[in-house]
Structures are given as structure tokens and as C-alpha cells.
Amino acid sequence: MAKISLIVNGNPVNANIDPRTLLVQFLRENLRLTGTHVGCDTSQCGACVVHVDGKAVKACTMLAVMADGHEVRTIEGLAADGAPLHPMQEAFREHHGLQCGFCTPGMIMTAVDLVHRKGNDLSDHTIREELEGNLCRCTGYQNIVLSIAAGARAMAKSDLA
Amino acid sequence: MYEFKYHRPATVRQAANLLLKNEDAKVIAGGHTLLPVMKQRLASPPHLVDLSHIEGLDGIEMKGRSLVIGATATHNTVATSAIVGEAIPALAELAGLIGDPAVRHKGTIGGSLANNDPTADYPAACLALGATIVTNKRRLKPEEFFQGLFTTSLESDEIITRVMFPVPKKAAYIKFRNQASRYALVGVFVAKRPSDVRVAVTGAGSEGVFRVTSFEEALKKRFSHKALDGMTVPADGLNGDLHGSAEYRAHLIAVLARRAVEAATAKA
Ligand SMILES: Cc1cc2nc3c(=O)[nH]c(=O)nc-3n(C[C@H](O)[C@H](O)[C@H](O)COP(=O)(O)OP(=O)(O)OC[C@H]3O[C@@H](n4cnc5c(N)ncnc54)[C@H](O)[C@@H]3O)c2cc1C
Ligand code: FES
Ligand code: FES
């Protein structure tokens, strides 16, 4: 077993885990943060994307022990419970950027990371390139791209990062 | 995934000792190759030695005329580094073409080289630029380091610490992606160095990355894509699979080499 302490969505977490535990497993099964999904478990689909120290990573391809001492943010950490949605979440709602919603947490975490790296004014081309690691079986991507462009603009005017 | 014991050394020396003491121990850097194969149970190291807490192993700096990149520098760090962009922009572009943004946030140059995937990007850059791969024990030229599919000359307790790239006069990398995996179906790195020209190909060789000496000689006489007009490479010894036949890959090598030379000359 291995002892880990990390920050998840702003809260300190301590646990004693089997070193084999993947970060996504730890989030879903130990912390019950089930917003982060497992689509493929083979590093392809991006449904499991979370932020570690502010950077988008695939939580199915990282050991929880390797998050020890780091800061993790999941889809649940974007906006407080009951508070208005994060602008990127709101943009997906507004622009119909989801159908079944399975890929959505990963899409949104990827999109927020993209805005942090490339700013609030994103071309369709940039968005499509950056979505390389996120698969959606439903939407055909068109509305996801629309949502991200709108969410990126809205983030410029919001207090939520 | 089978059970393993997890170690977190603070220095390269400690890491090497752990590898020496524990049979079949493996280092883990970004984990973006190792964890997927452990999940599939194609690898089952009883000990994992995590390099991510070793300080200073991910630095990027110029040393004389060489660009030095630490083994645990991520693809994203290399892609966005001002130092790399200034010294060898083709290398920054290559790093930015690896996988997707999340993969680039974790995968490392050391892990990519140690893995020597026949479709990986960095091996082509190392071979074309004539990099030196520095380990805790020695310095290796790419010709000594790459030993065929997924094989390198690294010993079981040997750790890559950094990679030194001599700055070329001109260079470019053109990658034709496999549409599903995003790895290179074929990738060609062309480098005009002070003394010669090198053309290295990834994705196509059945023995991994290789050089096209006939192209190199033509380009040494005249560094223009026109020097390659009419030149081809034989399909013998190239990979053929469901993604593309050996003949198709041979065709791509000639096309991409031309484009790489064009890109390299346009940049300067
Ligand atoms: C979805 C996806 C897409 C990808 N697309 C591409 C692509 O387009 N092009 C490409 O080139 N790659 C691609 N990759 C591979 C990616 O670049 C990997 O990160 C890289 O090959 C391995 O680096 P790592 O740091 O993750 O190594 P790890 O997985 O941690 O380790 C890989 C191997 O190297 C050994 N190792 C690691 N570091 C060292 C060291 N310093 N010294 C000695 N041995 C070491 C380990 O023991 C292990 O055997 C992709 C991966 C994924 C998951
Ligand atoms: S579940 Fe992690 S990439 Fe698909
Ligand atoms: S909305 Fe169903 S997978 Fe994307």
C-alpha cells in the first residue's frame, strides 16, 4: 500500500491505496467523483481528462500515487454545487454541445485547459486540432466546437477560471 | 495490471541502485507507454521506479552549440520552450505533433527514446540531427542506441538523463499521421548540418528508424527539393500492414522528404 496526500477540487485528501490504482479509479471509486468517465481505458478517448497542476491529463493513464503532492481538478471542481455553471459548462448547455453526455466532462476539462493555454479567442481550426484526444460518438463535433468557442469567449468575462 | 512495488527516488543514482537491486524493475516517466502495456499485462514489472521526483531531470538549456533536453522534459515543454523554438524550431514542431494535448502533458523525451517505437517521432529527430543520448553510464550516438523494433542498447540499470542536439543550419520534420492512432504512418526529418545532410525516416522501416543515404548525397550536392526529383526508395524492408502497404510507405518517404526540404529551406 502507498500513502498519498493531494488536493482535489481545493480540498485536501489523504488515502492509503494499492499503487496500481489509476488516478481515474481513485477519483471515481475512492472519492465518488463520478463525473470523470472511463470511455476506453486505453488512453484514446479523453473521457477521463482532469487537470493535474492545471494541465489536462488522461486520468486513466496516470497512477494515483503519481498525483501525490499535486493538485487535481475534476469536472465537479469547475463550479460550486448549486452555484451557476462554469462558463464552459454553460456554453455546452446553451449550444447543445452534447447528446448522451458521456464524453462531455472530458471535453469540457480539455476545453478549459485549451483556453488557459491559448486564450479566449479560438478559431474553429485550433479547437478541432486541440480536440485530437477527445472522442465523441454522438454529436459529430460541430456543436462541441461551437460550444468551446463560445465558452472561451465567456470565460474572458467570468471570475471562474 | 499486476501488483508492483512503487519507488520514488530523489536522484538518478538512487534510481539506478533501485534498478540494480530489484530484478526486472522498470523506470516510469510519463507512463504513457508503460501504463497501457501494463494494463494489457504485456509488461509486469514487479518494481516501478518513478523518475518524476528527480529534480533537474527535465531542464532545457543551450550548452555551446548544442541544445540539451533533460530526459523527463514533456512533449508539451519541448513544444512550447522558447529555447527549443529558437535553436531548433523543427524539434519544437515535432514535439507538438505527438499524440494529443493530454498525451503531450505527460509523455517525455526519455521515455519515447527508451521505448523506440518504430512509429515514434523523436527517434527520427535524434538520427537526423546526430544527437547524443546521455545516460547515467555513458554517451551514445543514435546508431549505437537504436537497435531495432522497441529495442535499444540501454542496460537494465541504465537511465537516460539528457539528450544533446547539435544545432543544424536548417531542419524540418514532416509527419503523415495514422488517422486513428496519430502516430507516424511515415515521418521524415531532414537536417542540413554544417558538414552533411541527413534524412531520417520513422514509421516505415521494419527495423525502426533509418537514414536514406541516396537522398542525403543528392541533397548534399544541392539542398533543394528539386535535387530529389525522380528519386525513390525501394519498398524492400519497409512495413506493410492494414494502414498502408510497403509500396505506399516508400512513396510517402519520397513525397515527405521533398516537403521537408521545402519546409527547411522556406524557414531560413
Ligand atoms: C494516445 C497516445 C498517442 C500517442 N501518440 C504518439 C505519437 O504520435 N508519436 C509518438 O512519438 N509517441 C506517441 N505516443 C507515445 C508517447 O509519446 C509516450 O509518452 C512515449 O512514447 C513514452 O514516454 P513516457 O514518458 O510516457 O514513458 P513511460 O511510459 O513512462 O516509459 C516508456 C518506457 O521507457 C522507459 N523509460 C522511461 N524513461 C526512461 C529514462 N529516462 N531512461 C531509461 N528508460 C526510460 C520505461 O521504463 C518504459 O520501458 C502516444 C501515446 C498515447 C497514449
Ligand atoms: S478513458 Fe482515459 S482516454 Fe479513454
Ligand atoms: S455526447 Fe455522446 S459521446 Fe459525446
Side-chain angles (χ1 to χ4, degrees):
Chain A
M1 299 298 274
K3 281 207 169 69
I4 59 169
S5 4
L6 60 162
I7 307 283
V8 180
N9 297 332
N11 304 312
V13 171
N14 298 295
N16 198 10
I17 55 167
D18 182 330
R20 277 183 289 184
T21 313
L22 298 169
L23 178 59
V24 73
Q25 250 177 316
F26 178 71
L27 294 171
R28 288 179 55 85
E29 292 167 25
N30 295 50
L31 305 184
R32 308 302 296 167
L33 292 170
T34 53
T36 304
H37 293 164
V38 180
C40 65
D41 200 24
T42 57
S43 329
Q44 313 290 327
C45 75
C48 63
V49 168
V50 300
H51 296 180
V52 176
D53 297 336
K55 294 197 179 97
V57 303
K58 291 176 171 175
C60 75
T61 315
M62 178 166 174
L63 296 171
V65 280
M66 292 179 87
D68 182 26
H70 295 274
E71 216 168 297
V72 178
R73 191 184 195 199
T74 69
I75 187 79
E76 290 91 343
L78 285 188
D81 241 359
L85 292 174
H86 182 279
M88 191 59 76
Q89 291 174 308
E90 179 56 32
F92 270 69
R93 194 190 67 74
E94 174 73 24
H95 296 273
H96 203 77
L98 58 142
Q99 288 178 24
C100 79
F102 193 85
C103 69
T104 314
M107 289 287 176
I108 290 178
M109 296 311 282
T110 298
V112 171
D113 169 73
L114 166 58
V115 175
H116 291 162
R117 283 184 294 112
K118 301 215 161 159
N120 299 86
D121 187 17
L122 300 169
S123 70
D124 279 13
H125 180 77
T126 302
I127 295 171
R128 286 178 190 274
E129 287 276 311
E130 292 280 335
L131 286 183
E132 196 126 277
N134 294 76
L135 300 179
C136 175
R137 308 195 315 169
C138 306
T139 62
Y141 301 97
Q142 185 60 31
N143 284 356
I144 292 178
V145 175
L146 275 179
S147 305
I148 293 175
R153 285 192 300 270
M155 277 174 70
K157 291 180 235 116
S158 166
D159 297 335
L160 294 174
Chain B
M1 211 184 286
Y2 289 109
E3 256 180 301
F4 56 83
K5 199 164 173 328
Y6 173 78
H7 305 269
R8 184 182 290 165
T11 63
V12 172
R13 185 186 291 263
Q14 282 175 13
N17 279 336
L18 285 163
L19 292 176
L20 203 58
K21 271 204 306 235
N22 299 294
E23 207 182 329
D24 296 327
K26 264 194 169 295
V27 300
I28 181 163
H32 267 53
T33 294
L34 189 53
L35 290 174
V37 297
M38 286 173 67
K39 286 187 196 177
Q40 292 170 302
R41 297 188 169 179
L42 294 172
S44 48
H47 296 266
L48 274 194
V49 179
D50 184 356
L51 297 184
S52 67
H53 290 256
I54 300 178
E55 233 165 282
L57 204 55
D58 60 352
I60 297 181
E61 57 174 352
M62 286 301 296
K63 271 231 169 100
R65 290 294 294 153
S66 283
L67 171 66
V68 184
I69 301 182
T72 56
T74 64
H75 308 327
N76 182 61
T77 305
V78 173
T80 57
S81 154
I83 301 173
V84 180
E86 174 79 19
I88 316 182
L91 196 61
E93 281 165 29
L94 174 147
L97 291 172
I98 296 175
D100 58 57
V103 169
R104 294 195 286 274
H105 281 146
K106 292 300 291 177
T108 67
I109 186 169
S112 176
L113 294 177
N115 194 48
N116 194 17
D117 187 310
T119 63
D121 299 297
Y122 271 125
C126 284
L127 190 56
L129 293 167
T132 301
I133 294 143
V134 185
T135 74
N136 56 330
K137 298 182 163 184
R138 53 190 169 149
R139 290 163 176 250
L140 292 154
K141 293 314 270 173
E143 293 80 358
E144 308 165 288
F145 181 83
F146 298 119
Q147 297 285 323
L149 300 191
F150 298 104
T151 314
T152 68
S153 52
L154 286 176
E155 291 163 14
S156 58
D157 61 336
E158 195 166 12
I159 297 166
I160 301 172
T161 53
R162 58 189 192 276
V163 190
M164 298 167 56
F165 295 93
V167 174
K169 293 189 145 161
K170 293 173 182 177
Y173 179 64
I174 305 285
K175 174 178 184 176
F176 191 91
R177 284 166 159 160
N178 177 317
Q179 289 303 315
S181 76
R182 318 309 283 173
Y183 275 86
L185 187 65
V186 176
V188 178
F189 201 110
V190 171
K192 184 173 196 290
R193 312 190 318 147
S195 56
D196 62 4
V197 174
R198 288 194 180 190
V199 178
V201 176
T202 189
S206 50
E207 291 296 315
V209 64
F210 66 94
R211 284 167 60 186
V212 187
T213 46
S214 60
F215 286 13
E216 293 179 352
E217 279 156 27
L219 290 167
K220 196 175 172 189
K221 289 193 196 113
R222 181 178 172 215
F223 194 73
S224 157
H225 63 98
K226 294 204 182 92
L228 299 180
D229 277 351
M231 292 190 79
T232 56
V233 291
D236 312 338
L238 299 186
N239 286 332
D241 53 28
L242 78 163
H243 306 295
S245 64
E247 290 72 22
Y248 182 57
R249 282 188 167 87
H251 173 74
L252 277 180
I253 292 170
V255 172
L256 300 185
R258 249 181 225 100
R259 287 187 196 164
V261 176
E262 266 185 290
T265 40
K267 249 176 232 152

